Amino acid sequence: SAAQVADKLRQRAYEDTMADAVELCAEAQTGLDAILQRPSGERMVEIRSVIPTLQAAWSRRKAETIRTGYGRLDADAGGFERPSMVVIGARPSAGKTALALALCLQAARQDVPVLLVSLETTVRRIAERLTAMLCGHSVRSSTTAHPDEQAHRLRVTADKITGAAFYVVDQVHSRSLRELLATCRSLCRQHKIGLIAVDYLQLVSVDGKTENRTQEVTKISAALKDLAIRANAVVLALSQLHRGIAGHAPGLESLRESGAIEQDADMVILLHREELDETNEERTGAKDRRVAFMLAKNKDGPTFTETVQFNAPTMLFYPNTGTKDEPRRDCAIGMAEAELPF
């Protein structure tokens, strides 16, 4: 081992005071080279022995892939493959949490146990948002509705998630990376979690000293990637984007505080609310927003950008179909058609 080589070198240096320094260095180098050239029985395999195993691996991978409910994402990217790290990046109010919830619901409907770690919002607020999505009424209208109507909406929501293994952890007051990882690992062992959503990455804090926030985010990103591999799960990491230039769509460079997020991610989805549409909404009170849906990174396939509709009251995304004034309401992203509120 390297320790044995170092001990031998130190012993020679003390015992043989006449030994030439260059000779000792050459001897040490020989020992280290022998370690580097030594084959590893655990890691070294003959590649031809792997080829026959590929078909079974492909079948297993297909069975474990999580469909997203977004036609083009499933068709072009093949859905979410396990294990992988998928990043959803957006500026505030562009809908990243809403999209994450829709994807979590879609996974739960495929009998994939889901864990949402919320660092920004309480469990009650998450439940209210799910109610809005599943019963078709805004959170605001539900809180002010007649008690009988409130009870009806809650029954509708409960019926639609009956049997779904959907767990939520509120870490609003404890955002430590160490605690987050411990919680996720424990729940993954107990419930065989297949999708872990973290909302959102920049709120995670790192224990111990680091030189700057970029190093911290690098450490967080690497830890989430490792979590995905060890748990054989999809880690859905939400991320803030830099503000950028008004009117310009974001790119991978817009991910805040670290290029490591882009590097570690197997897939990056960016959402961009069009500035023109934002102005129109303020003027007309429109409930639908046009949002650019960008698959900006896809490690094993093509990327694309297309416009989708985001219905703010119900927090649902829809493909940009139908007419400008009447978009189609029968195919919300991540939602089963039978469960649509419209």
Side-chain angles (χ1 to χ4, degrees), residues 37-52:
Q37 294 171 7
R38 187 183 304 157
S40 170
E42 294 180 356
R43 290 179 298 172
M44 189 180 73
V45 297
E46 197 169 9
I47 192 63
R48 65 180 179 181
S49 69
V50 178
I51 303 301

Side-chain angles (χ1 to χ4, degrees), residues 6-20 23-24 27:
D7 286 342
K8 184 177 180 180
L9 178 62
R10 183 176 60 180
Q11 184 178 356
R12 279 286 313 276
Y14 279 117
E15 293 178 355
D16 189 356
T17 57
M18 300 298 291
D20 182 68
E23 180 184 341
L24 289 175
E27 186 177 328

Side-chain angles (χ1 to χ4, degrees), residues 150-172:
Q150 289 178 337
H152 170 71
R153 294 179 187 182
L154 294 177
R155 282 196 301 272
V156 169
T157 302
D159 288 345
K160 290 181 176 180
I161 60 173
T162 296
F166 193 148
Y167 306 96
V168 181
V169 172
D170 176 348
Q171 287 205 195
V172 171

